[in-house]
Amino acid sequence: MADERTPRATRSDATVLDHAPALGPLYARALLTAPGRGGELTEHEVTQHGARIDRERLTAYDRVCGFGVRDELPATYLHVLAFPLQMVLMVDRSFPFALPGLVHVRNRIVQHRPVRADEVLDLRATARNLRPHAKGAQVDLVAEARVGDELVWEGVSTYLAKGAEAPGQALSGHDELEVSLPDDASPAAVWRVPKDMGRRYAGVSGDVNPMHLNPLAAKASGFPRMLVHGMWTKARALAALEPRLPEAYAVDVAFSRPLLLPATVGFVASTAGGPDEWDFAVRPAKGGREHLRGRVISV
């Protein structure tokens, strides 16, 4: 259902892909198409039919993110498959914000059932819900995966464009994610994240955003060092909960502080209302504002 607080899309368009595009050329195109953005959010759909899983790439992804190697896909791996379609949307000149400078602030995934590596997927991505924010404007990149007519997975990535404008009134606290974790909770695990983790994750995900790969690019983006992808942090947290996850669940995270490399962080988790429901966070080992907070609920 459309959000009545936000403007509706203004036209319909569709792109059908026969394979997933490489992300390197899309990042280069994003720089070339950055000037002159603005305006309303257009209705644009990108689809890919018949996507098949590369088992070697899946195994490498499992190992980099801490999952057990098996035939079922981690819920975050479906994001890896859908992200190139979302990139096609964002680099198009009809998209209101330039990709450089967009901040991934939240990600919600719903796994309706486990997806096997031998299943063939139809993927779809759209951009929705352009809205104002206290720091600028936000937009949702929405993706889904189907096996035949069955919806098996959904993902929503929320991006913030600082200083941008969108029609409407920003709602204070509307996008906050509340979790029940004491500030002084002892970590269930401590992770030492090496300085090459951004490169390693890029190698298995295809996400070659330069600020994760090159210290000069990171500094040009306003960071003192390279940083790891937020979706690696989410995947690593989900891997820590893997033995306790139900077959159908939603996992919602808010990214609040970049994880600069190298780093030592603590993973904190507690049950939240039931055996299949969890609140969790990734925090600096020596204290300070958390990098990520999240919640898992069964669906």
Side-chain angles (χ1 to χ4, degrees):
M1 181 178 294
D3 190 331
E4 295 181 355
R5 299 188 306 271
T6 61
R8 294 180 179 272
T10 58
R11 68 178 174 86
S12 179
D13 198 3
T15 300
V16 180
L17 305 174
D18 58 8
H19 64 277
L23 292 178
L26 288 177
Y27 275 112
R29 183 180 172 192
L31 293 174
L32 296 174
T33 62
R37 295 299 183 99
E40 296 181 311
L41 185 65
T42 60
E43 185 177 329
H44 190 177
E45 175 182 289
V46 180
T47 59
Q48 179 190 351
H49 299 291
R52 296 179 181 274
I53 307 304
D54 182 328
R55 289 176 181 267
E56 290 187 3
R57 183 184 180 195
L58 172 62
T59 297
Y61 175 90
D62 286 339
R63 289 173 173 161
V64 167
C65 297
F67 291 103
V69 176
R70 54 180 183 161
D71 283 339
E72 289 182 1
L73 309 185
T76 47
Y77 192 72
L78 275 296
H79 171 85
V80 168
L81 299 180
F83 183 62
L85 281 65
Q86 295 175 332
M87 280 284 290
V88 170
L89 290 170
M90 289 188 283
V91 303
D92 191 276
R93 288 189 182 276
S94 66
F95 190 72
F97 308 127
L99 181 62
L102 279 183
V103 182
H104 192 186
V105 294
R106 192 153 176 178
N107 179 269
R108 185 175 191 268
I109 286 172
V110 180
Q111 175 178 287
H112 293 284
R113 68 157 173 84
V115 178
R116 301 187 313 275
D118 62 350
E119 294 189 278
V120 180
L121 302 168
D122 292 332
L123 306 173
R124 174 176 177 265
T126 58
R128 303 177 189 170
N129 200 15
L130 175 65
R131 59 197 183 274
H133 184 271
K135 295 182 180 179
Q138 287 187 336
V139 66
D140 294 334
L141 274 294
V142 181
E144 64 178 37
R146 294 178 181 269
V147 176
D149 293 330
E150 181 188 9
L151 179 65
V152 295
W153 179 93
E154 298 174 87
V156 179
S157 293
T158 299
Y159 289 88
L160 170 66
K162 293 183 178 180
E165 296 182 355
Q169 182 177 357
L171 300 179
S172 177
H174 176 68
D175 289 326
E176 292 182 3
L177 175 62
E178 297 295 334
V179 298
S180 298
L181 292 170
D183 291 338
D184 60 351
S186 298
V190 174
W191 304 331
R192 290 173 175 82
V193 189
K195 67 179 182 180
D196 68 343
M197 185 53 76
R199 295 190 181 100
R200 291 172 60 190
Y201 182 78
V204 298
S205 69
D207 188 350
V208 291
N209 189 327
M211 67 182 179
H212 301 297
L213 308 177
N214 186 291
L216 295 179
K219 289 182 179 179
S221 299
F223 301 103
R225 306 191 304 276
M226 290 186 298
L227 57 153
V228 76
H229 305 65
M231 288 305 296
W232 175 87
T233 311
K234 178 174 183 174
R236 185 66 187 87
L238 205 60
L241 296 171
E242 186 177 27
R244 304 171 180 85
L245 294 174
E247 288 197 345
Y249 64 91
V251 52
D252 193 1
V253 303
F255 304 108
S256 51
R257 181 187 182 189
L259 204 167
L260 303 178
L261 300 173
T264 301
V265 296
F267 174 71
V268 180
S270 70
T271 56
D276 293 332
E277 299 183 2
W278 294 87
D279 285 345
F280 60 91
V282 177
R283 297 171 173 172
K286 295 184 178 180
R289 189 160 60 96
E290 65 198 10
H291 301 288
L292 168 154
R293 63 171 53 188
R295 170 166 288 178
V296 172
I297 61 172
S298 58
V299 296

